[in-house]
Amino acid sequence: MATLNSSNSLSSTFYLTGIPGYEEFHHWISIPFCFFYLVGIMGNCTILHIVRTDPRLHEPMYYFLAMLSLTDMGMSMPTMISLFRVLWSISREIQFNICVVQMFFIHTFSFTESSVLLAMAFDRYVAICHPLRYAIILTPRLIIKIGLAALLRSAFAMIPLLARLAFFPFCHSHILSHSYCLHQDMIRLACADTKFNVIYGLVLISALWGMDSLGIFVSYMYILHSILRIASREGRLKALNTCASHICAVLILYVPMIGLSIVHRFAKHSSPLIHIFMAHIYLLVPPVLNPIIYSVKTKQIRQGVLHLLFPTKICSTMM
């Protein structure tokens, strides 16, 4: 019994990793990370504020954009505290329970963001292919149901995966590969049969991300078919322009995600810096770039940002 208690107590603490080989520069490395987190938080909070306060933006497209901003912050914010604790040499330790909670938020919101992008593709499909029925199909009630379904689907799917971690012994190294907890990193340290977690994780990624990406692809096939039937060149360009921001958001999420998966699967023995770099790109790039892209490409969002920055000039211009 004493040995079991000792083993459990040892298994409850893990150690995060910063940038291997550059520990003396961690304080300097934290500066660009601070900048990216600040830009991401400010950008997404700005989007949420504009959508909430501007009655002209109380439309399905902007509600889905607000959901995207929430999932961006939900995916990146859980990593912020542990990252800066490591980079600022406060502490590398993280308790098992906190690690599991952090994993839950990172992976849940990652899957949720994919679902939100699918919902946004459906929004563009209805807007372009069935414009007269747009307001009838995408009612506020349906939008709320879509948002809740996306979140609950991702959350419930993660529970079996993370619940099994509580039964795994961790009798070897407790050093994680990143400055935050990821499921694929945690099961690597387990001294038990992790076959269920590995297979379930692969099925989960294939089912959720696979279905979402397929849905996005099919939506754009229908959208492209409808756009090609528009007579005027200006009309086709205008319709395509309404999809440009969403296409960028899809690429920003899926390209780093595919790159990270390839690195974990086929480059296990490559430099740890590559794994760390790809993981940070995957978690930081979408929250930083999505608000910028939508502010640049979407006229209503751009006007809202300018109104926040220069309220007197915008008001005088409108008058």
Side-chain angles (χ1 to χ4, degrees), residues 110-151:
S110 177
F111 286 128
T112 304
E113 178 150 348
S114 177
S115 301
V116 170
L117 289 174
L118 173 60
M120 296 175 81
F122 177 68
D123 168 78
R124 292 298 83 207
Y125 161 74
V126 176
I128 293 173
C129 300
H130 306 284
L132 299 180
R133 300 174 58 198
Y134 183 69
I136 299 173
I137 296 174
L138 288 172
T139 61
R141 188 170 183 175
L142 178 61
I143 293 169
I144 293 172
K145 288 181 179 179
I146 290 174
L148 288 174
L151 180 60

Side-chain angles (χ1 to χ4, degrees), residues 196-218:
F196 172 82
N197 283 57
V198 172
I199 295 174
Y200 183 86
L202 289 174
V203 171
L204 200 62
I205 291 172
S206 302
L208 298 188
W209 276 338
M211 288 174 59
D212 292 342
S213 57
L214 179 62
I216 292 170
F217 178 77
V218 171

Side-chain angles (χ1 to χ4, degrees), residues 31-72:
I31 295 175
F33 279 108
C34 280
F35 173 75
F36 287 129
Y37 274 105
L38 186 63
V39 170
I41 293 169
M42 289 181 61
N44 285 291
C45 287
T46 300
I47 295 287
L48 291 170
H49 175 74
I50 292 171
V51 173
R52 185 181 67 85
T53 56
D54 192 341
R56 296 173 301 171
L57 302 185
H58 293 175
E59 296 180 2
M61 174 183 173
Y62 302 106
Y63 289 143
F64 287 128
L65 178 57
M67 289 183 196
L68 184 66
S69 293
L70 287 172
T71 55
D72 274 337

Side-chain angles (χ1 to χ4, degrees), residues 72-92:
D72 274 337
M73 290 196 292
M75 189 170 68
S76 63
M77 290 288 285
T79 67
M80 184 173 66
I81 296 175
S82 61
L83 171 65
F84 289 122
R85 278 170 60 87
V86 173
L87 294 182
W88 291 341
S89 303
I90 298 173
S91 176
R92 290 178 55 213

